[in-house]
């Protein structure tokens, strides 16, 4: 039996969030519905607004053909998960697009998902055998912390155990380290304990069920 591969568009919040697409493809694959997510480099496009509707419109124009699913990543920040979900759904509806939609909404920021793997943080910081205390939030606390990005910065610096100019070098590589941590994120690991990830998995489950009952053409 040949399994149909579905087409999709991934719209990340920032340029460093691209690795999330591979994790979402993996989640679909594990459900028996492979998806190939197109991931346009919005940083190379001029005149595209930062709002969801503008980015989805530009992404669809770049892909050219209709897609089976649109995946939109947007941090909850201070607006909250519900408000972000409504924002994404309203933006896609405004385009008159009839396709499945999967919102990806970390609470509060994507960095919260990266604070669950101490070994990965030490590895990315270049000191996998380090013993410095990182003071990572507990899994049940991580989504309630106000600024997970700042916490991650501090944890990476602590994990490096560097000082002086070398410490400054580690600090200057934060975006690169963040991307590496996102690439190393285990979709079947500790992140499963977070409500925001559970909502993502549930949204994918719903799409898969609808495809199986009425497959896209």
């Amino acid at each position: 039996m040949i399994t149909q591969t579905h087409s999709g568009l991934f719209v990340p919040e920032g340029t460093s969030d691209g690795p999330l697409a591979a994790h979402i493809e993996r989640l679909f694959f594990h459900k028996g519905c492979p998806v190939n997510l197109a991931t346009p480099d919005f940083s190379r496009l001029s005149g595209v607004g930062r709002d969801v509707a503008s980015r989805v419109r530009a992404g669809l124009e770049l892909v050219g053909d209709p897609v089976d699913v649109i995946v939109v990543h947007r941090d909850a920040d201070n607006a909250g998960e519900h408000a972000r979900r409504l924002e994404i759904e309203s933006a896609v509806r405004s385009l008159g697009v009839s396709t499945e939609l999967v919102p990806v909404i970390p609470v509060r920021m994507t960095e919260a998902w990266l604070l669950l793997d101490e070994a990965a943080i030490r590895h990315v910081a270049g000191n996998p055998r380090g013993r410095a205390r990182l003071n990572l939030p507990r899994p049940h606390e991580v989504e309630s912390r106000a600024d997970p990005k700042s916490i991650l910065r501090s944890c990476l610096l602590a994990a490096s155990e560097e000082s002086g100019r070398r410490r400054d070098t580690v600090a200057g590589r934060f975006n690169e380290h963040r991307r590496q941590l996102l690439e190393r994120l285990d979709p079947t690991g500790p992140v499963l304990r977070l409500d925001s990830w559970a909502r993502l998995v549930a949204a994918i489950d719903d799409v898969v069920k609808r495809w199986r009952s009425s497959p896209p053409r």
Side-chain angles (χ1 to χ4, degrees):
M1 179 179 178
I2 299 176
T3 302
Q4 177 185 357
T5 298
H6 302 277
S7 61
L9 169 68
F10 178 63
V11 181
E13 178 162 305
T15 56
S16 63
D17 297 309
L20 276 174
H23 298 313
I24 295 166
E25 287 179 337
R26 193 181 310 173
L27 289 172
F28 271 107
F29 181 81
H30 287 166
K31 302 295 180 182
C33 286
V35 170
N36 183 17
L37 290 175
T39 56
D41 186 353
F42 292 95
S43 66
R44 297 188 177 184
L45 301 177
S46 60
V48 178
R50 295 283 301 173
D51 61 287
V52 174
S54 295
R55 290 166 70 82
V56 172
R57 183 187 299 110
L60 291 173
E61 289 176 355
L62 283 173
V63 172
D65 297 323
V67 296
D68 299 323
V69 62
I70 297 172
V71 180
V72 179
H73 164 239
R74 188 90 161 85
D75 285 348
D77 293 321
N78 293 325
E81 186 273 338
H82 181 67
R84 285 289 185 244
R85 186 176 300 274
L86 291 179
E87 174 189 346
I88 292 169
E89 291 173 349
S90 176
V92 174
R93 280 200 307 269
S94 72
L95 300 176
V97 178
S98 178
T99 189
E100 293 288 354
L101 173 64
V102 173
V104 183
I105 309 173
V107 179
R108 302 178 180 239
M109 302 174 186
T110 305
E111 284 79 7
W113 290 352
L114 309 180
L115 290 169
L116 301 174
D117 191 337
E118 180 176 340
I121 290 173
R122 293 188 189 278
H123 180 86
V124 166
N127 190 22
R129 297 184 179 180
R131 305 297 296 175
R133 187 176 177 83
L134 304 189
N135 295 315
L136 290 169
R138 296 179 180 178
H140 70 275
E141 300 172 334
V142 73
E143 291 190 304
S144 63
R145 293 297 183 91
D147 193 353
K149 181 177 288 187
S150 292
I151 295 173
L152 183 61
R153 286 182 189 274
S154 298
C155 289
L156 284 164
L157 286 173
S160 73
E161 300 185 33
E162 296 287 9
S163 59
R165 291 184 178 179
R166 289 186 177 181
R167 184 179 176 88
D168 292 341
T169 299
V170 173
R173 296 179 63 192
F174 176 75
N175 288 338
E176 178 185 345
H177 290 158
R178 179 190 182 279
R179 185 179 182 90
Q180 290 175 8
L181 286 171
L182 198 54
E183 290 171 348
R184 294 171 66 92
L185 179 68
D186 181 1
T188 62
V191 74
L192 284 173
R193 301 168 64 180
L194 301 183
D195 289 342
S196 56
W197 191 267
R199 284 190 287 268
L200 167 59
V201 173
I204 290 173
D205 282 340
D206 289 342
V207 170
V208 169
K209 289 175 183 176
R210 286 192 289 271
W211 279 346
R212 285 176 175 163
S213 63
S214 181
R217 296 179 179 180

